[in-house]
C-alpha cells in the first residue's frame, strides 16, 4: 500500500460541488478594470478642478496677511518708540492700515466666502519680532521699525495691484484704489524715516 505524499503549501483541490461558469473570470476582470479606471479618472478630475482658487484670492490673502502683520508689529512696538517723530509717523501708519485692513478684509470675505477668516487682532510674524526685539535691546527701534514695515507695505501694495484686475464691481474697485493710494503714501512716510 502506498501512502500519499502530503501537499503542504500546495493549493487545495477545487471544491467538486462548485461548477465553474464559463467567462465569469473575464467578466469580473473587465468590471474591475473599468471600475478602477473610472475611479482614477474621478480622482484626477477632482485634483485638477478642486485645487483652483477664485481669481485674485491668493493675492488678496497676501494683502490681508501683510497688512495684519504690520498692524501687529505696530501694536507690539509703538510704546517702545523714543523719538516723537517716529511715534507720530507710526500712529499715522497705524490709522491708515487699520482702515484698509477692515475694508479689504470685508471685501475678501464678501468675495471669497463668509468662511474665510480675517483676524480681528492680527499678530506680528516671528522674524519681525526677533528683529525688533534685538532693536529694542540695541536702542535702534526708532529706525528699525520702519525697516521692517517698509517691505511689508510694498509687498501688500504689489499684491493688491495684481488682485485688482479680478474685481469688476464699482465699490470693490473703489476700495482697492483707495487702499493702493494709501499704501503709496505709507511707503513715502516709511521711506522718509529710513
Amino acid at each position: 500500500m502506498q501512502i500519499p505524499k502530503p501537499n503542504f503549501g500546495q493549493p487545495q483541490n477545487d471544491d467538486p460541488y462548485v461548477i465553474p461558469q464559463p467567462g465569469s473570470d473575464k467578466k469580473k476582470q473587465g468590471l474591475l478594470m473599468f471600475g478602477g479606471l473610472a475611479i482614477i479618472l474621478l480622482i484626477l478630475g477632482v485634483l485638477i478642478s478642486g485645487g483652483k482658487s477664485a481669481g485674485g484670492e491668493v493675492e488678496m490673502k497676501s494683502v490681508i496677511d501683510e497688512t495684519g502683520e504690520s498692524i501687529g508689529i505696530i501694536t507690539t512696538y509703538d510704546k517702545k518708540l523714543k523719538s516723537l517723530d517716529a511715534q507720530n509717523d507710526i500712529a499715522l501708519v497705524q490709522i491708515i492700515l487699520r482702515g484698509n485692513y477692515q475694508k479689504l478684509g470685508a471685501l475678501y470675505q464678501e468675495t471669497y466666502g463668509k468662511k474665510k477668516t480675517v483676524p480681528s487682532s492680527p499678530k506680528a510674524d516671528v522674524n519681525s519680532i526677533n528683529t525688533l526685539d534685538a532693536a529694542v535691546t540695541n536702542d535702534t527701534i526708532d529706525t528699525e521699525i520702519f525697516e521692517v514695515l517698509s517691505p511689508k507695505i510694498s509687498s501688500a501694495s504689489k499684491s493688491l495691484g495684481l488682485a485688482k484686475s479680478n474685481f469688476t464691481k464699482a465699490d470693490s474697485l473703489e476700495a482697492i484704489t483707495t487702499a493702493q493710494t494709501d499704501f503709496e503714501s505709507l511707503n513715502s512716510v516709511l521711506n522718509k524715516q529710513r
Side-chain angles (χ1 to χ4, degrees):
M1 174 168 155
Q2 233 180 8
I3 300 175
K5 293 183 182 177
N7 293 333
F8 296 117
Q10 300 290 329
Q12 300 269 334
N13 288 342
D14 290 338
D15 188 1
Y17 297 105
V18 175
I19 301 172
Q21 298 294 321
S24 65
D25 289 338
K26 288 183 181 181
K27 189 185 285 185
K28 285 181 185 177
Q29 185 180 13
L31 284 173
L32 286 175
M33 281 182 25
F34 287 116
L37 182 62
I39 290 172
I40 290 173
L41 290 175
L42 180 66
I43 291 172
L44 185 63
V46 167
L47 289 175
I48 289 173
S49 66
K52 294 181 181 177
S53 61
E57 182 177 359
V58 173
E59 290 84 4
M60 284 299 289
K61 179 72 172 142
S62 176
V63 172
I64 299 295
D65 290 344
E66 295 288 344
T67 306
E69 288 172 4
S70 298
I71 292 170
I73 289 168
I74 293 170
T75 303
T76 305
Y77 293 98
D78 64 343
K79 303 285 188 252
K80 297 177 182 176
L81 296 172
K82 308 264 191 249
S83 160
L84 191 58
D85 287 341
Q87 291 174 0
N88 289 337
D89 286 342
I90 288 298
L92 175 65
V93 170
Q94 184 178 28
I95 290 168
I96 293 172
L97 283 179
R98 282 201 185 274
N100 284 328
Y101 185 71
Q102 290 173 352
K103 287 178 191 171
L104 294 175
L107 176 61
Y108 179 76
Q109 286 179 320
E110 174 189 318
T111 305
Y112 302 109
K114 297 291 182 190
K115 292 183 181 178
K116 303 291 183 180
T117 58
V118 177
S120 58
S121 57
K123 306 287 184 207
D125 60 297
V126 175
N127 291 337
S128 299
I129 289 172
N130 292 337
T131 302
L132 293 173
D133 282 347
V136 168
T137 304
N138 297 336
D139 201 28
T140 58
I141 187 69
D142 286 356
T143 56
E144 195 66 36
I145 194 166
F146 294 100
E147 295 286 334
V148 171
L149 288 173
S150 185
K152 291 188 175 301
I153 301 301
S154 294
S155 174
S157 180
K158 287 177 189 171
S159 295
L160 193 58
L162 293 172
K164 186 176 183 178
S165 62
N166 295 298
F167 292 90
T168 55
K169 292 188 341 187
D171 56 340
S172 300
L173 287 172
E174 182 181 347
I176 290 174
T177 303
T178 302
Q180 282 182 308
T181 305
D182 289 345
F183 284 143
E184 288 172 17
S185 65
L186 289 179
N187 273 328
S188 65
V189 169
L190 293 172
N191 290 328
K192 167 181 92 166
Q193 288 288 340
R194 292 170 83 190

